Amino acid sequence: MPDQTKPSEGAVSAAQIEHAAALLDAGELVAFPTETVYGLGGDAESPDAVARIYAAKGRPANHPVIVHLAPQGDPHYWVEHLPAEAQRLIDAFWPGPLTLILKRAARIPAAVSGGQDSVGLRCPSHPVAQALLEAFSALRGGHGGVAAPSANRFGHVSPTTAQHVRDEFGDAIHVLDGGASDVGIESTILDLSRGFPALLRPGHVTPQDIADVLGEVPRFADGSDATAPRASGTLKAHYAPRTPLALLPFDVLEPLLAARQSGERVALVARVSRAGRWMAADGVHFIAAPEDPHVYARELYGLLRALDRANVSRILIEKLPDTIEWIAVNDRLGRAAAAFEAQS
Ligand code: TXA
Ligand code: MG
């Protein structure tokens, strides 16, 4: 498995933090580690800085960006009104991998929301992210926020190490190296701006975790129960490696493996408990999938990047069980596979 490095305390100096905060203050971009994935940050209140983020990523300008706050940051500054449910979720999950979508305060430029009347807020738990956010916020009288999407080119796999960010952007972007991200997939996004809590993106904080705090089950944006298993196939293409990827139950993968051309090299990612003879078959580059959903999430994007370099014609991945603990991993794998279903 790639990227065994753990976040190393003190890997980023106070001087490096001050320098990066000064770059943000000057309207420049800085890539920084969070516990989920690396972010590509810019001053959230500067439409020019936000435009620079969109340009660097090659992302459409109507896509909203998440605003990152320091632990001492005040969410009230950013929103029209902070509902009681939002405060309860903040108390339970911040700092951590939960983004809340709320009605945006009138003083906040619309650029950060892609023109919508809402704003996404999150307070990351990674110490380097917190140090950067505190230093930048101090330069703005305690109210600075950093707009940051994942630090990858639009549609590609999110970065979980500083090297991944360099692989995406070369030397064009200043990167703070805080080691490998611990969660490994993007934050859970919960929309509280539409009258009922709606899960926009599953993540480490599960629908059940949210229901336990709110006493109410979040819904998907279409109104269906977010604690119930989700049928795949409705997912938008995203998070894709460059090598064609298929996500299928193991009994559907087996005939594909059996039918592969002689001389063809395919990657197989499956749990050891299912893979049987395919672990050692000729032309099969076997990767043992983690049996634990959190470990799988942590290793997923590094794995997809490594498989892009593994010289295989296809990546075949065992679909994980349709249970709530696998919802986030199945979501990201489903989107990666959808990128290729859309092409065929
Ligand atoms: O874990 C994460 O959330 C990472 C790290 C860097 O914090 N960030 C991240 O950002 O994944 P990004 O831009 O790659 O994904 C943000 C998602 C987008 O799909 C966007 O549509 C949604 O958040 N989003 C942000 N603000 C929103 C808003 N006001 N309304 C609806 N969706 C919003
Ligand atoms: Mg992203």
Side-chain angles (χ1 to χ4, degrees):
M1 283 287 171
D3 300 325
Q4 297 297 338
T5 42
K6 283 267 157 265
S8 42
E9 294 287 331
V12 176
S13 68
Q16 286 173 306
I17 295 290
E18 288 308 320
H19 174 61
L23 288 175
L24 291 174
D25 192 38
E28 304 290 324
L29 305 186
V30 173
F32 62 98
T34 84
E35 73 280 19
T36 59
V37 301
Y38 274 65
L40 180 59
D43 177 359
E45 290 182 272
S46 161
D48 285 348
V50 172
R52 254 181 222 140
I53 295 174
Y54 288 125
K57 279 186 67 99
R59 184 188 220 201
N62 61 351
H63 280 224
V65 188
I66 295 170
V67 178
H68 296 68
L69 305 181
Q72 306 90 322
D74 181 7
H76 292 93
Y77 177 79
W78 300 88
V79 303
E80 198 172 82
H81 160 70
L82 195 73
E85 315 88 79
Q87 189 62 58
R88 290 217 296 281
L89 292 165
I90 287 171
D91 293 343
F93 299 115
W94 283 14
L98 176 68
T99 297
L100 298 176
I101 308 296
L102 298 158
K103 290 276 184 229
R104 179 167 45 84
R107 77 167 77 82
I108 307 302
V112 77
S113 310
Q116 302 184 52
D117 64 356
S118 57
V119 63
L121 298 180
R122 144 165 152 77
C123 174
S125 64
H126 194 294
V128 172
Q130 293 191 345
L132 177 66
L133 291 164
E134 272 164 38
F136 176 66
S137 190
L139 296 174
R140 295 301 171 84
H143 282 307
V146 174
S150 51
N152 54 278
R153 297 202 186 261
F154 183 62
H156 194 219
V157 177
S158 294
T160 54
T161 67
Q163 187 56 48
H164 293 164
V165 179
R166 289 183 208 111
D167 293 345
E168 292 285 322
F169 298 107
D171 292 331
I173 301 285
H174 185 79
V175 190
L176 292 174
D177 186 347
S181 297
D182 203 35
V183 172
I185 55 171
E186 305 81 355
S187 61
T188 304
I189 303 182
L190 189 74
D191 188 351
L192 291 175
S193 73
R194 57 173 81 198
F196 62 91
L199 187 76
L200 300 189
R201 182 172 70 186
H204 186 84
V205 175
T206 68
Q208 192 57 54
D209 295 333
I210 292 165
D212 289 347
V213 170
L214 294 184
E216 179 186 1
V217 165
R219 317 242 127 210
F220 282 108
D222 63 9
S224 65
D225 183 344
T227 58
R230 184 86 166 149
S232 61
T234 55
L235 304 163
K236 209 168 98 244
H238 216 68
Y239 309 105
R242 295 185 174 86
T243 312
L245 180 155
L247 176 71
L248 296 162
F250 198 78
D251 52 345
V252 183
L253 284 182
E254 271 200 287
L256 292 182
L257 287 162
R260 75 192 184 286
Q261 311 280 312
S262 71
E264 188 189 1
R265 241 170 77 80
V266 302
L268 171 64
V269 182
R271 289 170 298 170
V272 168
S273 52
R274 300 303 315 277
R277 69 187 179 94
W278 298 108
M279 286 193 270
D282 268 356
V284 175
H285 177 63
F286 176 71
I287 307 280
E291 306 269 345
D292 176 83
H294 295 141
V295 178
Y296 202 125
R298 181 181 305 144
E299 296 182 357
L300 175 59
Y301 290 146
L303 172 65
L304 293 181
R305 283 172 184 270
L307 287 175
D308 256 344
R309 298 186 303 265
N311 205 16
V312 294
S313 60
R314 284 180 294 157
I315 303 170
L316 304 177
I317 303 190
E318 177 202 3
K319 188 175 181 304
L320 287 313
D322 253 332
T323 53
I324 203 164
E325 54 176 354
W326 287 106
I327 182 176
V329 167
N330 270 333
D331 171 78
R332 302 311 190 279
L333 286 172
R335 288 172 198 258
F340 299 100
E341 285 154 17
Q343 279 170 18
S344 59

